[in-house]
Amino acid sequence: MSQDTTREIPLPESRRADVVGRLAATVDRLRAQVRHGHDATAARGLVELATGVLVERLRCGPSAAAAQLAELAEQAGRTRVELAAEIVDEAARDELAEAARWSATVDDGVSLRLRTAESGALAAHDVQAVAESLLRHALAPLGAVGVAVWSAGGDSSLTLAGCAGFAADEGGRWRYVPPGVAVPARAALVKRDVEWVSSLAAAGVPSIGERDVPTGARAALPASTGGRVLGVLEVCWPHPVAELAPRAWRQLAALAQLCAHSLDYPVAELAPGEDVQLCDLADSLRDPALVLRPHHDGAGRVVDFRIAHVNPRYSDLGGRPRGEVVGALLLEAYPLAAVDGGLFERVEHVFATGEAFRADRVDLTALVGQVPLTAALGVGISRVGAAVLLVWHTEDEATRLANLLQHAQRLGRIGGFEENLATGEIAWNNELFALYGLPASAKPVPVEQLARHAHPDDAVLIGRFLRTLLHHNRPASTAFRLRRSDGVARHIRVIAEPVPGPSPAVRGAYQDISAQHWTEVALAATREQLAHSEQQAVESTKLTLQLQHAIMPPAQNTLSTPSLDVAVRYRPAEKDHLIGGDWYDAVVLPSSQILLCVGDIAGHGIEAATSMVVLRNALRGLAATGAGPSQLLTWLNLVTRHLTDHVTATAVCALFDPSDNTLRWARAGHLPPVLVQGSTATSLPLITGPLLGGLANPTYDEAHLHLTPTDTLLLYTDGLIERKDRTVEESLARLLTTAARTTSTLDQRLDRLLTHSNSDTDDDTCIIGVQLRAP
């Protein structure tokens, strides 16, 4: 066995000194390069600021302003950096002087000494010094107590570049704000506009300095230059403030502009090598790509993007050649991209914030002969320096259909397969592995071995399926129970067909129909149960009708006595399932008195019908005792409570004495009888009497009535008058109007009442009509 015997060999002192010297020289060289880079960056920043000042004051484009700066420097015999520094210094002096004049009108004695401090901060890129200078010279006279300057990241994050006026540890606590945290500065960054919070506590949002001034007002302004939002200026007041004056907003906007210059790392132009690299990067992409550069107006605002380069994969939607598109403005080539929420707005947002954008679908419309042609694009947009890289791709029809097919297979739990019978090669899709409960790395199951994985009882079905498919070479299908290795049983339908070609093969699909199978089983059981229930209901209804008709036949029935004519009408419910418990009785008692009664059992069906029989027969038996109506109802209440299945009922009970033509009557929760005298119909007084079965010891009052030969007395159940859209009083008034009409016979009067009844409850109806017989 060999052993590693590597060990360090000390260097001689002379070589050690030589190595240290080389490292020191390397460090010095790198330091010089860093200083040179910083100086170049600062110089380039001053040149860019001066170019921006010339763009604003000369009302020209950036290229013309840069050329004007170079010409002025050559005429003055100075470098571009020296002349740029003077231009920036003069512009800052003008802006700060204007702010100072406004501040003096707000707070006498306060002067804005910001120019010198700001100029020094710009040169040193010291944002912390900028924040301190802003608070001391410009914001404190406005009543502000704190200021924070945020640097915006490409992912909408915020980094605290400088702050003043807050506690010493606030800078550490708020050093970085991740994307998605709702703070005033984030709102200003996202919407690229001013975010005003009159009271931080009322708004319920966190922010820097919330511990010291929890109720103060906040103003957050985006710090932007050249169409790019580089950061946010946030100003804090100690107390709630309803609104700022317009001049204050103008000063804050100027200060935000100065903050943008402090945060600006010049990227307005790429170096020639970098420009080539960006184009090479676009050319290396597999999808169509465009390199876009901002196009500014005279005031320096971004109004469009120029298409500087397109890669070889680019194909114009309208069929235009690449040379016609390159060099054109984006809105000139695709004017409908400016539609709200469209592509241009996305490009502008990415350029302004640096936040990359990705979307699976963005609609882009091109005009082809003034005819709009819209394509759905997958889009990726990124900012590279001062340029924007736009990459898109379109799905072809085959890819789109393949994706749709995959989703359809997943939703329908369908797995496809294709098997070469000669070579044994089998292709399964992922869904089929899932149906079998196998990992994707498992070996597929040949179709000939299907029976090994099925329930034994399904062997005959699978054998018939295989003979049709493999021996007769015809399409076949069957359903079987799949037994998976994990113990789960699934109901599967398989369908397959032979594949034409030189080598024998089959292809097909498996579908999991377990849910459908169990649904069919449940439906079959439900149908069987419903059929049984329906048969029971039919038999119960038939029995109920037979019982009801045996006691009270629907045919007309008239009872004649020596002194009284009694006519009866009974109309069953129109629907069999609403068979109710309405009942009537008219019988001559052993005492020669005549018992007249009607009643209504609550509910429908066999229970109501059997309860009706109990009460009707009980009242007949009790009436033979010679007791009066009130006593009869008292006893009938006991029967209802103790000898029926907890039912309730209403009833009217009357006894007519032919010796003096008097009628005694009582009611139990029922509508009182109607008395017709000539052409007038009135309802008898509503005497006391609760419904049957409701109370243990109720009291039933009794009333007396003397009948004359011209009188007609009507007893009825509520099925005659009850309507869902009217009150009982309205229905009773209509009944009295109909009953008052003159008729020649008692039977005609009852027939008229049934004919003109407009009840809509489909309930049973009973009517008893009584008249004295003519001598």
Side-chain angles (χ1 to χ4, degrees):
M1 177 182 295
S2 62
Q3 184 176 0
D4 187 7
T5 58
T6 303
R7 61 187 180 87
E8 294 185 2
I9 301 177
L11 293 173
E13 290 297 329
S14 59
R15 292 194 60 189
R16 184 188 302 273
D18 186 44
V19 170
V20 172
R22 290 181 180 180
L23 291 176
T26 300
V27 171
D28 291 340
R29 185 176 68 256
L30 292 177
R31 285 178 176 173
Q33 290 178 357
V34 170
R35 285 195 300 270
H36 177 72
H38 285 172
D39 293 340
T41 299
R44 189 162 50 184
L46 287 174
V47 171
E48 290 297 330
L49 289 176
T51 302
V53 172
L54 292 178
V55 166
E56 179 182 2
R57 296 191 174 183
L58 299 179
R59 305 299 181 185
C60 61
S63 300
Q68 183 68 21
L69 178 63
E71 183 179 353
L72 290 176
E74 183 179 358
Q75 292 177 358
R78 309 181 66 180
T79 65
R80 287 200 307 167
V81 175
E82 293 175 343
L83 182 59
E86 291 186 4
I87 293 175
V88 171
D89 184 70
E90 182 65 27
R93 184 184 299 112
D94 295 343
E95 291 182 2
L96 298 178
E98 174 63 22
R101 286 194 297 271
W102 178 86
S103 179
T105 62
V106 176
D107 187 356
D108 295 339
V110 177
S111 61
L112 193 61
R113 301 181 303 273
L114 186 59
R115 180 183 60 82
T116 304
E118 179 69 9
S119 299
L122 284 173
H125 288 279
D126 188 354
V127 183
Q128 178 63 32
V130 172
E132 295 173 354
S133 181
L134 290 178
L135 180 63
R136 181 171 64 254
H137 297 295
L139 297 175
L142 298 180
V145 296
V147 61
V149 180
W150 302 93
S151 175
D155 56 353
S156 292
S157 62
L158 294 170
T159 302
L160 187 62
C163 65
F166 301 114
D169 61 341
E170 284 295 274
R173 292 180 63 246
W174 290 89
R175 180 185 61 82
Y176 176 75
V177 179
V181 179
V183 294
R186 161 74 31 68
L189 175 64
V190 172
K191 66 182 184 180
R192 291 182 283 163
D193 200 356
V194 174
E195 176 69 10
W196 171 251
V197 179
S198 59
S199 173
L200 193 65
V205 294
S207 184
I208 184 173
E210 59 184 348
R211 295 182 303 176
D212 301 328
V213 281
T215 62
R218 297 296 173 100
L221 299 90
S224 59
T225 179
R228 294 178 296 129
V229 180
L230 305 177
V232 178
L233 171 65
E234 184 175 358
V235 184
C236 171
W237 282 265
H239 305 293
V241 179
E243 185 54 84
L244 294 179
R247 291 184 178 181
W249 282 117
R250 287 198 295 270
Q251 183 178 4
L252 292 178
L255 297 178
Q257 184 74 15
L258 294 177
C259 290
H261 296 323
S262 302
L263 297 170
D264 188 17
Y265 296 93
V267 291
E269 295 293 340
L270 292 172
E274 295 173 336
D275 191 27
V276 173
Q277 291 177 2
L278 178 58
C279 294
D280 290 342
L281 173 63
D283 292 343
S284 66
L285 298 177
R286 299 179 58 184
D287 294 319
L290 301 86
V291 176
L292 306 176
R293 297 192 176 279
H295 179 71
H296 301 81
D297 62 2
R301 295 185 297 267
V302 176
V303 295
D304 205 342
F305 292 87
R306 191 171 298 280
I307 303 175
H309 179 75
V310 296
N311 68 354
R313 260 69 59 189
Y314 170 81
S315 177
D316 181 60
L317 300 180
R320 292 171 293 187
R322 297 173 57 198
E324 186 177 335
V325 177
V326 175
L329 295 177
L330 181 61
L331 292 182
E332 291 178 355
Y334 302 101
L336 296 182
V339 177
D340 290 342
L343 186 64
F344 182 82
E345 183 179 350
R346 305 297 185 184
V347 173
E348 185 183 30
H349 181 82
V350 170
F351 178 74
T353 64
E355 180 182 6
F357 173 78
R358 301 288 183 273
D360 293 333
R361 180 187 176 97
V362 172
D363 291 337
L364 178 62
T365 302
L367 293 176
V368 182
Q370 302 303 316
V371 177
L373 177 63
T374 302
L377 308 177
V379 172
I381 309 174
S382 304
R383 189 177 73 185
V384 182
V388 175
L389 181 63
L390 169 61
V391 183
W392 72 46
H393 70 274
T394 58
E395 284 189 354
D396 57 18
E397 188 67 15
T399 303
R400 188 176 67 85
L401 292 178
N403 291 334
L404 289 177
L405 179 59
Q406 290 181 357
H407 291 301
Q409 290 176 339
R410 176 180 55 84
L411 294 174
R413 298 188 60 82
I414 300 174
F417 72 93
E418 185 168 347
E419 180 177 349
N420 189 314
L421 300 178
T423 63
E425 182 180 358
I426 304 174
W428 276 16
N429 66 358
N430 294 333
E431 189 63 32
L432 189 50
F433 283 101
L435 289 181
Y436 267 82
L438 298 175
S441 59
K443 184 178 180 181
V445 178
V447 67
E448 291 182 338
Q449 300 179 10
L450 189 60
R452 299 182 184 179
H453 299 268
H455 193 279
D457 294 345
D458 297 332
V460 175
L461 295 175
I462 293 177
R464 187 181 302 119
F465 165 77
L466 294 177
R467 285 193 300 274
T468 303
L469 177 66
L470 303 179
H471 297 284
H472 300 290
N473 292 322
R474 294 203 306 264
S477 66
T478 189
F480 66 95
R481 286 163 288 181
L482 175 67
R483 296 191 302 179
R484 306 196 322 182
S485 59
D486 55 6
V488 177
R490 310 297 297 178
H491 289 263
I492 302 295
R493 178 178 298 278
V494 59
I495 181 171
E497 65 178 0
V499 179
S503 179
V506 293
R507 63 187 172 201
Y510 293 80
Q511 182 180 15
D512 187 346
I513 59 172
S514 300
Q516 177 183 349
H517 170 78
W518 293 118
T519 300
E520 291 176 353
V521 171
L523 286 176
T526 302
R527 283 194 293 266
E528 183 177 353
Q529 184 177 3
L530 287 175
H532 180 67
S533 299
E534 183 178 358
Q535 182 63 28
Q536 285 185 325
V538 170
E539 293 177 356
S540 177
T541 301
K542 183 178 180 181
L543 177 61
T544 304
L545 286 172
Q546 290 175 348
L547 177 61
Q548 190 180 52
H549 294 170
I551 303 301
M552 293 175 299
Q556 298 182 0
N557 185 19
T558 302
L559 174 65
S560 296
T561 66
S563 58
L564 196 66
D565 287 334
V566 181
V568 177
R569 293 293 185 273
Y570 171 67
R571 181 176 63 189
E574 295 183 4
K575 297 180 180 179
D576 291 343
H577 69 277
L578 292 178
I579 296 173
D582 288 20
W583 52 277
Y584 67 89
D585 204 358
V587 62
V588 180
L589 300 176
S591 62
S592 299
Q593 293 185 344
I594 301 174
L595 173 66
L596 304 169
C597 59
V598 294
D600 187 1
I601 307 294
H604 299 86
I606 186 66
E607 294 84 1
T610 54
S611 298
M612 173 267 293
V613 174
V614 172
L615 296 186
R616 183 174 184 271
N617 292 339
L619 185 58
R620 272 197 173 191
L622 293 172
T625 63
S630 60
Q631 183 61 56
L632 292 177
L633 291 181
T634 301
W635 290 337
L636 194 60
N637 180 71
L638 292 175
V639 174
T640 306
R641 288 179 60 85
H642 300 288
L643 300 181
T644 62
D645 190 14
H646 305 291
V647 301
T648 57
T650 64
V652 170
C653 179
L655 289 174
F656 176 75
D657 189 349
S659 62
D660 55 2
N661 293 337
T662 59
L663 183 83
R664 292 183 298 158
W665 67 281
R667 57 179 290 272
H670 203 90
L671 294 173
V674 171
L675 180 62
V676 182
Q677 295 177 311
S679 60
T680 303
T682 58
S683 182
L684 296 184
L686 194 66
I687 59 178
T688 302
L691 57 80
L692 300 173
L695 301 176
N697 298 300
T699 299
Y700 296 99
D701 291 344
E702 190 174 292
H704 299 262
L705 177 67
H706 181 74
L707 294 180
T708 65
T710 60
D711 296 340
T712 300
L713 186 68
L714 302 174
L715 288 74
Y716 59 94
T717 59
D718 57 5
L720 182 66
I721 65 171
E722 193 174 41
R723 284 190 62 85
K724 299 175 183 178
D725 58 348
R726 292 182 185 177
T727 64
V728 175
E729 291 76 11
E730 294 174 340
S731 299
L732 184 57
R734 181 181 178 89
L735 172 65
L736 295 177
T737 301
T738 305
R741 296 177 183 174
T742 303
T743 57
S744 58
T745 63
L746 180 59
D747 287 328
Q748 290 180 353
R749 187 181 298 276
L750 298 189
D751 291 338
R752 178 185 291 274
L753 290 175
L754 284 179
T755 301
H756 293 279
S757 169
N758 61 346
S759 172
D760 63 355
T761 58
D762 294 328
D763 202 358
D764 293 349
T765 301
C766 293
I767 311 175
I768 297 179
V770 177
Q771 282 184 348
L772 292 179
R773 295 199 69 177

